[in-house]
Amino acid sequence: MKEYSEDNVDYETLGDNVVPSRYVLNFKPDMKTFKYDGTVEIDADVKKPTRSILLNASELEINSAAVYLNGHANGATVRYYKEKQRIGLELKAPVSGKISIRMAFTGINNDRMYGFYRSRYVHGKSERFLLTTQFEAANARNAFPCFDEPAFKATFDITLTVGKSMECVSNMPIRSTSALDGKTKAVRFEETPRMSTYLVYLGVGNYDSVEAMCGKTKVRVLTIPGRKPMARLPLEYAIKLIKFYEDYFGIAYPLPKVDLISIPDFAAGAMENWGAITFRETALLADEKTSLAGKQRVAEVIAHELAHQWFGDLVTMRWWNDLWLNESFATFMASKADDHVFPEWNVKIEYLRDTIATAFAADQLKSTHPISVQVRSPSEIDQLFDEISYEKGGTVLNMMEHYAGETVFRDGLREYLRENSYSNATKYDLWKAVDRSAKGRGKSLDIYSVAKFWTDTPGYPIVQASRRGGSVSLSQSRYFLLKGSRDQSTWPIPINYSLQGKESTTLMAGKAARISAGKSPWIKINSGQNGLYRVSYDEPELSILGERIRKGQMPPADSWGIENDVFALARSGRTPVKGYLDFVESFCMDAKYPLSASILGHLNGLHNLLYYSPDKSVDRLALEYSNKLVDRLGWKVAKGEAPHDTLLRPSALMASAMLGNDSVGKIASEMFWSFVDKGSEIDTNIRGAVYRIVAWNEGKGVAHVLTKRYERESVPEEKIRLLAALAMFKDRGLLARSLEYSDSENVRLQDSYIIPAICSSNPVGRKIMLEWTEANWRSLLKRHASGTHMLGRYVDNLAGLDTNKDRAEVSRFFSAKANWRDDISHALANTLEMIEANTRFMGANASPSS
């Protein structure tokens, strides 16, 4: 196998001559003007004498600055480098050794969800605000002058001066509270361990909370006033998950406390600030009335963020090219933790549907990027919070764990965490630790080289399996959604295969390989679906596997994998769509979960794409399939029902109704109007489906009702259901009004993407998205700062377009300098490629769309 050298990463850095070790921070926010005064004292070591010190600062006014050496002040002139988000301290005399940098500054608590910002909410009838922070990836510099790079770990001594009725939260417990002038108080926190600036947290407001001890760790869930009843369930989840991680990592929770804080305005899903994790309300708050999907979402996000407390916070990547070290591991570990804590949910199967399926979809484009990406500047970082860093990375980790063995893999992770605690590391440190663990157990595995290839190489392979007598020939090439694309990469593939139920593994290191199958009547490649590769079988072998699916003799994960690969071959034009439909009709009509959910999703996707085609063969099969599911599942959760049936029911109901099942539409309408007029209950597990069905079928008759209920609603999950329904009309005029509404003051900025995103997946709505996006783009540029990671989503919404004319217009519009921003480049490349793929698909399978 090819030998690799470790990365020589070239990126924009402040350099390593001045290295901070300790910050003393004081903030004095004004809850009326939303401006704050601050001071910072930074202890640092200077290796070589210098008269110039660079720091990061953005959107701050520096009021004074000085550098102290041996207790003597050295006057500093401040120079601003706004484009680089830096300031320079120019000194009269050179300094070296141990210094202290002292500055006074003024900042703004913006309302744009980055830096040290404000969040608005209503309690009773009064408008209130809280202050919170979002510093990842590079927005600590918007709150205070600092060395804002992950490798510059330091300790933080933080004090907040606030009104006496305000409560304060930071990474560590409160050390002291001192009354000042009768109206204000100074709240000082315990000093933190060594940590990166992007993990610092500042919170000011009024909170409801619940708390409990987990061993020696105090665990709290904090909410805005009135949300306390929805904090108890996530507190239970958090305690169980912390116990799992302490056991799995072999390291006690590193801090004396952890707060889980729900924020009304929050751009991301959650943020792993060490000891003070922030969440969207929908990602944290839940009670027994919350839908099963909502509870699972809350458990998954809590597990993800708690995993970061070790993997990302205790040990942090050296630079942002290894962002995946944070996000992929948190994705991977969250599934493992939830599967342990909630065995009844069968999370391993959901990992297939959510993480692995997303990885396949995201990485099938030429415009994809490696898991580990060369990042030069902060403007490039925002785009890395995507499906490659999260889902593909998590899938590769799952594959590597299966290849190395669970015990070997876990022991390697433990060694990695122990060796690099309170410091920084790279992916190479991780793979070397797993390699040592394997060798320590007598396993001759080159984990380092295999893992490095998968993290450094974009895309994934498709393996052609051809049986001849007693052997199966394997050959690999890169899978592209756009057939005809070229790539000569050869992946080292851990091939798991099953012969009559007997599992074996081999490493396919070249373009071709051969497996002895003996007299086994069938072989399943990628058994258990632990590998990130697709498989194409010759027709006789595929039919044999299909027959085993029909008879219920194939394990659920393998059934799911076979169908997914057959669909991928059709979607990319390697085989006709009719072949996929015939496969489903012949072998999968009575499929069990998760195959049933996969087929439903694929048929619905084909229906949306071919919505205007005169050929209705997809619609006929999709309606028959969804009706069979509705007949089996019904409308109500049965006693002792499997959780996956509860999750599948709303999708089946929506598909059936939208494909023309009038009886489902009628029942949904009766439920809805009884709910609206009489206050009758609708099970929260299907309520969102009911809303969407009536929006689709009744249009104008329910638009006003849905809107007014949304504006009156206070439960976060319910608000999102109602907002989503406003994107499901089939009348273009109503959809245009909903899109306009998404940009109004009635919809929080954090939720403003929801209607456009769902409208883009509406078969009618996707046709109006380009016009709306172009008309509103200047407003979107202003509203969505790069630190929120949100702007690219609006470009993603155009990926459902399907003509060459559409592609040319999208390219023309975004090539204009006034419409460009660096943080949309990946989204634009992906979208243009998806439009081309859709156009080819439509040319092969449908008449031109209207």
Side-chain angles (χ1 to χ4, degrees), residues 39-224:
T39 62
V40 60
E41 181 177 340
I42 309 172
D43 293 339
D45 293 303
V46 181
K47 298 176 183 177
K48 297 179 181 179
T50 182
R51 289 187 177 186
S52 179
I53 297 174
L54 286 176
L55 297 93
N56 294 114
S58 181
E59 301 177 10
L60 297 173
E61 180 180 344
I62 309 301
N63 302 318
S64 65
V67 175
Y68 287 76
L69 176 65
N70 298 323
H72 299 289
N74 191 331
T77 301
V78 180
R79 292 189 178 179
Y80 292 86
Y81 305 97
K82 290 188 176 181
E83 287 190 5
K84 294 289 188 180
Q85 299 182 340
R86 292 175 176 176
I87 57 172
L89 303 183
E90 304 301 329
L91 308 178
K92 294 179 180 179
V95 294
S96 63
K98 294 187 180 298
I99 65 168
S100 175
I101 304 166
R102 302 179 191 179
M103 283 179 278
F105 56 93
T106 301
I108 297 174
N109 300 119
N110 68 69
D111 60 355
R112 302 177 72 188
M113 300 185 293
Y114 68 89
F116 189 15
Y117 72 92
R118 67 183 185 268
S119 176
R120 174 189 172 277
Y121 64 95
V122 175
H123 182 58
K125 294 185 178 180
S126 64
E127 179 182 64
R128 295 190 183 184
F129 292 89
L130 60 81
L131 304 182
T132 186
T133 55
Q134 173 60 34
F135 291 163
E136 189 179 34
N139 292 112
R141 64 191 66 183
N142 294 91
F144 59 97
C146 57
F147 295 80
D148 200 12
E149 297 175 14
F152 287 125
K153 284 196 168 185
T155 64
F156 293 83
D157 183 332
I158 297 170
T159 299
L160 287 163
T161 300
V162 299
K164 65 179 182 179
S165 64
M166 292 286 103
E167 299 171 64
C168 298
V169 186
S170 189
N171 306 85
M172 296 292 283
I174 293 173
R175 174 189 293 182
S176 64
T177 301
S178 306
L180 298 178
D181 55 9
K183 293 182 180 180
T184 59
K185 62 184 178 182
V187 180
R188 187 180 181 188
F189 297 89
E190 299 284 351
E191 191 162 335
T192 71
R194 294 185 72 247
M195 57 187 282
S196 302
T197 49
Y198 79 91
L199 297 170
V200 171
Y201 182 71
L202 311 169
V204 180
N206 297 118
Y207 306 96
D208 281 351
S209 66
V210 295
E211 65 181 60
M213 296 301 294
C214 180
K216 296 181 179 180
T217 304
K218 179 186 282 189
V219 185
R220 296 193 301 173
V221 176
L222 287 77
T223 76
I224 60 172

Side-chain angles (χ1 to χ4, degrees), residues 431-725:
W431 299 134
K432 288 173 181 176
V434 178
D435 251 344
R436 289 193 296 271
S437 176
K439 289 180 173 60
R441 290 182 175 268
K443 287 193 172 186
S444 181
L445 301 173
D446 190 357
I447 303 293
Y448 179 92
S449 297
V450 174
K452 186 180 189 307
F453 190 96
W454 280 91
T455 53
D456 289 356
T457 306
Y460 57 83
I462 181 169
V463 174
Q464 178 70 46
S466 302
R467 183 160 183 164
R468 297 292 182 269
S471 66
V472 178
S473 297
L474 306 178
S475 61
Q476 66 160 296
S477 59
R478 181 173 171 182
Y479 175 84
F480 286 105
L481 180 61
L482 279 172
K483 184 184 175 185
S485 303
R486 300 292 181 187
D487 187 328
Q488 298 303 314
S489 298
T490 300
W491 280 260
I493 311 174
I495 298 284
N496 309 311
Y497 59 96
S498 177
L499 292 168
Q500 287 186 290
K502 183 180 179 181
E503 302 289 327
S504 299
T505 301
T506 186
L507 184 68
M508 182 177 179
K511 286 283 186 183
R514 188 177 297 274
I515 294 173
S516 176
K519 296 182 179 180
S520 175
W522 60 272
I523 183 170
K524 168 63 173 69
I525 308 296
N526 199 8
S527 58
Q529 293 302 127
N530 290 297
L532 184 60
Y533 58 95
R534 297 202 179 279
V535 182
S536 174
Y537 298 94
D538 289 347
E539 176 51 38
E541 196 71 30
L542 180 61
S543 293
I544 292 170
L545 295 173
E547 188 64 21
R548 293 188 63 78
I549 292 174
R550 188 184 69 80
K551 293 179 178 179
Q553 297 172 339
M554 187 66 66
D558 289 329
S559 297
W560 178 90
I562 293 166
E563 181 269 342
N564 265 256
D565 290 343
V566 173
F567 177 80
L569 292 170
R571 185 65 176 86
S572 61
R574 289 170 171 81
T575 60
V577 168
K578 185 179 183 302
Y580 170 73
L581 300 180
D582 288 345
F583 183 83
V584 171
E585 197 163 18
S586 298
F587 305 118
C588 305
M589 295 304 287
D590 297 309
K592 293 180 172 58
Y593 194 88
L595 177 53
S596 53
S598 180
I599 293 169
L600 188 67
H602 287 149
L603 291 175
N604 194 53
L606 291 174
H607 159 73
N608 287 352
L609 200 55
L610 298 168
Y611 186 74
Y612 296 101
S613 170
D615 182 355
K616 298 302 177 184
S617 56
V618 168
D619 290 4
R620 285 191 293 271
L621 182 59
L623 179 59
E624 181 184 355
Y625 195 81
S626 58
N627 285 347
K628 282 178 73 81
L629 288 175
V630 169
D631 289 343
R632 181 174 70 82
L633 296 170
W635 287 81
K636 296 181 180 180
V637 175
K639 186 177 181 180
E641 176 175 279
H644 57 244
D645 283 341
T646 307
L647 296 174
L648 184 58
R649 180 177 290 107
S651 298
L653 291 170
M654 277 193 296
S656 178
M658 292 179 67
L659 286 160
N661 187 330
D662 293 336
S663 64
V664 172
K666 181 180 179 182
I667 293 171
S669 181
E670 290 171 352
M671 282 186 168
F672 178 79
W673 290 111
S674 180
F675 175 65
V676 170
D677 296 335
K678 301 176 183 178
S680 302
E681 277 299 310
I682 303 176
D683 178 9
T684 54
N685 291 293
I686 62 167
R687 197 180 293 175
V690 169
Y691 292 166
R692 295 193 194 197
I693 290 168
V694 294
W696 181 259
N697 285 335
E698 301 181 32
K700 189 175 181 180
V702 299
H704 180 72
V705 176
L706 291 168
T707 302
K708 290 304 175 186
R709 290 190 74 90
Y710 168 77
E711 291 172 0
R712 293 196 303 266
E713 185 56 59
S714 61
V715 176
E717 183 184 36
E718 181 71 355
K719 286 187 76 71
I720 300 305
R721 288 191 196 105
L722 290 159
L723 202 60

Side-chain angles (χ1 to χ4, degrees), residues 229-244:
M230 302 189 77
R232 295 187 180 94
L233 193 62
L235 179 66
E236 292 178 20
Y237 290 178
I239 289 172
K240 292 176 181 178
L241 289 162
I242 289 170
K243 289 178 180 177
F244 169 80

Side-chain angles (χ1 to χ4, degrees), residues 740-758:
E740 182 180 355
Y741 186 73
S742 73
D743 202 28
S744 73
E745 63 180 15
N746 293 303
V747 179
R748 288 186 180 274
L749 181 60
Q750 67 167 9
D751 297 327
S752 59
Y753 74 93
I754 292 173
I755 288 177
I758 294 176

